[in-house]
Each structure stands twice: as C-alpha cells, then as structure tokens.
C-alpha cells in the first residue's frame, strides 16, 4: 500500500476520533469541555493538513522512506498509555511518565535530560491550563494524593 494512501487513511480515522472528542467536549457541563474541544479541533486541523498534503504529487525520483513500524507502534502505545493513565493517576503525573518513556525510548536523550524536560514541560502545562486558563483537567488518585 502506498505511503500516501496510508497517510490519508490514518488522517481520516484519527480525524474522526478528534471529531468525537470535540462532540464529547461540547456535551460536558460548564468549562470542563473546553480542553477536549480545543485539543480535538487542533487534532482535526492537523489531520486535515496531513490529508491534504498526502494528495501532493511527489517527484518520480523521490523514494518512499521506510516506515519505522516499531517506533510508530511504541509511540502509539505511549499515547494510549497516557490517555489511560490520565484518569487513574492524574494528568500531570501521566504526562511526566509519557514524556519520560517516549523521550528515553524514541530519542537519544538520557534519563536525567529526559526527566528535566518532562518535569519542566509538565509544570508549564500545569501553569498554562490550571492557572492561566482555569481548565479543569483529570486529577486522578495519585495526583490528588500528591497535591494534598
């Protein structure tokens, strides 16, 4: 199967998932649905861009890069783990775990650098979403225990 067709197929599937996230976010009470609507909309726009870009003609001498299925699968599992852990242990703890695993396994960063980056990024996300935007994010059991 050509890579462009795979891109289009994944863009449609993930775009439909993003539309579902927006739909769920619109049904939430109060301000709880702001984050899902924004995240789903941005994901949908990214899928639209990927889908449109997949129709671009490639020059005949451009060879298709090999698909790194192991890296793609590992990253997909990390994202699914992030989504699952957000509810049980909390958004910010899950984000640190997600970033640590994905940065250490999918890049050449060592543990100390990945830990500094993960904690810094999670602190930035916490400051922006909780304090600046006042968006309620899933707390989870471990985050509630750490926050008290």
């Amino acid at each position: 199967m050509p890579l462009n067709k795979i891109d289009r197929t994944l863009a449609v599937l993930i775009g439909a998932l993003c539309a579902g996230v927006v739909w769920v976010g619109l049904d939430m009470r109060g301000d709880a649905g702001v984050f899902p609507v924004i995240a789903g909309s941005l994901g949908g726009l990214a899928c639209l861009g990927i889908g449109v870009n997949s129709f671009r003609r490639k020059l005949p001498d451009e060879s298709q890069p090999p698909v790194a299925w192991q890296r793609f699968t590992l990253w997909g599992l990390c994202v699914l783990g992030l989504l699952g852990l957000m509810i049980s242990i909390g958004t910010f703890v899950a984000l640190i775990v997600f970033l640590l695993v994905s940065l250490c396994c999918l890049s050449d960063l060592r543990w100390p650098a990945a830990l500094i980056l993960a904690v810094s990024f999670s602190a930035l996300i916490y400051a922006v979403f909780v304090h600046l935007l006042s968006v309620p994010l899933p707390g989870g059991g471990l985050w509630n225990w750490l926050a008290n």
Side-chain angles (χ1 to χ4, degrees):
M1 180 183 289
L3 195 57
N4 284 343
K5 191 170 185 177
I6 293 172
D7 287 347
R8 280 192 294 271
T9 305
L10 284 175
V12 168
L13 292 174
I14 296 173
L17 178 69
C18 290
V21 168
V22 170
W23 182 266
V24 169
L26 290 174
D27 285 341
M28 290 182 173
R29 289 181 291 189
D31 293 337
V34 172
F35 180 73
V37 169
I38 292 172
S41 299
L42 290 174
L45 288 173
C47 288
L48 180 66
I50 290 170
V52 168
N53 191 30
S54 70
F55 286 104
R56 182 178 61 94
R57 276 208 177 252
K58 298 208 183 327
L59 297 174
D61 60 286
E62 282 187 55
S63 63
Q64 295 286 344
V67 178
W69 288 107
Q70 292 172 337
R71 290 177 58 87
F72 179 74
T73 304
L74 180 60
W75 186 80
L77 290 173
C78 286
V79 170
L80 290 176
L82 171 67
L83 295 175
L85 289 176
M86 283 175 77
I87 302 300
S88 60
I89 66 173
T91 301
F92 304 107
V93 178
L95 188 59
I96 291 172
V97 171
F98 166 73
L99 288 172
L100 274 175
V101 171
S102 59
L103 287 173
C104 288
C105 294
L106 299 175
S107 69
D108 293 331
L109 283 178
R110 295 176 188 239
W111 283 100
L115 181 63
I116 291 169
L117 188 61
V119 170
S120 302
F121 186 73
S122 295
L124 178 69
I125 293 293
Y126 181 79
V128 168
F129 284 101
V130 173
H131 291 295
L132 293 177
L133 298 176
S134 299
V135 176
L137 296 174
L142 185 58
W143 176 254
N144 292 335
W145 181 74
L146 289 173
N148 292 329

